[in-house]
Amino acid sequence: LASLLANKAPIGEITVARQALVRDLTAARQQLGAGSTASGAVIFNAGSIVFREGLEAVLILASLLASMTGDNKRLKRPLALGSSLALAASVVLFVLARTILLSLSQYSERVEAIVSLVAIAVLLLVMNWFFHKVYWTKWIAKHHKKRRVLIAGVSSQVIGMMMLGFTSVFREGAETVLFLQALVLDAGTRVVIEGTLLGLAATFVVGFLMFALQAKLPHKKMLIVTGVMISLVLVMMVGKTVHVLQAVGWLTIHPIGDTPPPYWMSLWLGVFNTWEGVLAQMVALIFVFGSYFAAEYSHKRAQREMLARAGAVPAAMAGD
């Protein structure tokens, strides 16, 4: 078709060539499964991100609300209002981010590479926090400290609790927006929104069970499951980001043999036939699981030291 256009061929020949090209591209698209399968992969990844971040926000809010008893019950309403405003602000942030990225469409692949790199860096940091139990205790304790300070002061309690609810949720919302932009640049807005709505629906179900029905859910198991899901998303994002970096010429390409991996591996896991991509994914997995084992080792060592100190105190008292 390009050759015909360059040689100014008759319109009839150009039409025939274009129709043949469309048929071939359609057949290739169907053979690769780039329709519903590709959409399913993006929906799963977007839903996993939204549900993981939403679950963390729900747990923080549940912890704060459960601690408000007696006269402090009246402060639950401004906390909930601040959380609702944060959710709306996250939607606005998503629209603004998408608008800015669309304005840079002429640099689409370079923008996708930069956004994906930033998203991976933040996701690695989140995964590192996730595997450290001290993160959960300190992070929730920090929110409770803010709550106690706000409740202690008589003035501006309502505004203070609104800000506490807003910051508790908007932090998760901002992270989610960043992660989703990497998917939007890769697959488009519509499919990502479908996955986002699915993740939000799951989050609202968990929130309803916790807040309205006071149900005792297996929070730890849910966090572990969502952690595994996010690990899969991380592997996919690393592989596809390396692929984009290679496409724009920012990274070298060293093929692994002549046989590419099955298409589903590239689609769902971002595994492509280059050493750069596979090694980067291995490094990401080693970082994630290494962080987990390092956190477990640190936690157990702290427990042993605490038990040792607890045993040494009675012994010293007995000697006196």
Side-chain angles (χ1 to χ4, degrees):
L1 180 61
S3 178
L4 291 174
L5 290 172
N7 295 325
K8 299 181 180 180
I11 188 65
E13 293 184 24
I14 293 176
T15 301
V16 172
R18 181 181 180 279
Q19 291 174 346
L21 178 61
V22 170
R23 285 195 302 270
D24 289 345
L25 289 175
T26 302
R29 186 172 184 270
Q30 293 174 348
Q31 184 176 1
L32 291 173
S36 59
T37 305
S39 299
V42 176
I43 289 172
F44 172 81
N45 291 330
S48 299
I49 291 172
V50 173
F51 182 56
R52 168 66 185 83
E53 297 297 320
L55 180 61
E56 183 173 342
V58 166
L59 292 178
I60 292 173
L61 288 177
S63 177
L64 291 173
L65 291 172
S67 64
M68 293 181 181
T69 58
D71 295 337
N72 294 327
K73 283 185 177 180
R74 61 186 177 83
L75 297 177
K76 288 185 177 182
R77 188 181 297 273
L79 183 69
L81 178 60
S83 303
S84 301
L85 291 175
L87 187 60
S90 299
V91 175
V92 173
L93 181 62
F94 178 88
V95 174
L96 289 176
R98 183 61 187 142
T99 302
I100 293 173
L101 292 178
L102 283 176
S103 68
L104 302 173
S105 58
Q106 57 180 326
Y107 311 106
S108 58
E109 288 186 333
R110 292 175 175 82
V111 172
E112 180 181 353
I114 294 172
V115 172
S116 297
L117 284 173
V118 175
I120 288 172
V122 176
L123 190 53
L124 286 171
L125 184 61
V126 170
M127 292 300 296
N128 185 50
W129 283 346
F130 170 75
F131 285 126
H132 285 77
K133 295 180 181 179
V134 68
Y135 160 69
W136 288 101
T137 55
K138 287 187 176 180
W139 181 244
I140 294 179
K142 181 180 179 182
H143 285 80
H144 278 289
K145 183 178 179 181
K146 289 182 179 179
R147 174 189 59 81
R148 287 191 294 269
V149 171
L150 292 170
I151 291 176
V154 178
S155 61
S156 305
Q157 285 183 339
V158 173
I159 296 178
M161 296 308 295
M162 286 179 59
M163 290 301 297
L164 179 59
F166 183 89
T167 54
S168 300
V169 175
F170 188 68
R171 173 186 176 273
E172 312 302 332
E175 287 181 359
T176 303
V177 168
L178 174 61
F179 300 148
L180 292 181
Q181 293 311 308
L183 296 178
V184 167
L185 290 170
D186 181 44
T189 305
R190 183 186 62 82
V191 180
V192 173
I193 289 179
E194 291 178 6
T196 300
L197 293 176
L198 183 63
L200 284 175
T203 303
F204 283 129
V205 168
V206 173
F208 177 78
L209 292 174
M210 292 180 63
F211 298 136
L213 302 183
Q214 301 296 315
K216 293 183 178 180
L217 302 177
H219 300 147
K220 184 176 180 180
K221 292 181 179 179
M222 292 171 64
L223 287 171
I224 291 175
V225 171
T226 55
V228 172
M229 293 166 63
I230 287 294
S231 297
L232 293 176
V233 175
L234 173 64
V235 170
M236 181 277 300
M237 288 182 64
V238 169
K240 290 197 172 183
T241 299
V242 170
H243 190 63
V244 173
L245 291 173
Q246 292 172 327
V248 298
W250 292 354
L251 196 63
T252 59
I253 301 175
H254 293 88
I256 305 175
D258 298 326
T259 304
Y263 181 70
W264 66 267
M265 291 184 67
S266 301
L267 183 66
W268 286 89
L269 299 176
V271 177
F272 296 92
N273 195 37
T274 66
W275 282 109
E276 289 83 354
V278 173
L279 290 176
Q281 289 176 315
M282 291 177 62
V283 169
L285 284 176
I286 291 173
F287 176 86
V288 170
F289 288 103
S291 175
Y292 169 76
F293 288 113
E296 286 294 307
Y297 174 78
S298 176
H299 179 68
K300 291 179 179 178
R301 186 178 64 179
Q303 283 185 328
R304 288 194 299 266
E305 292 177 354
M306 184 176 61
L307 291 174
R309 287 195 299 268
V313 172
M317 292 176 63
D320 295 339

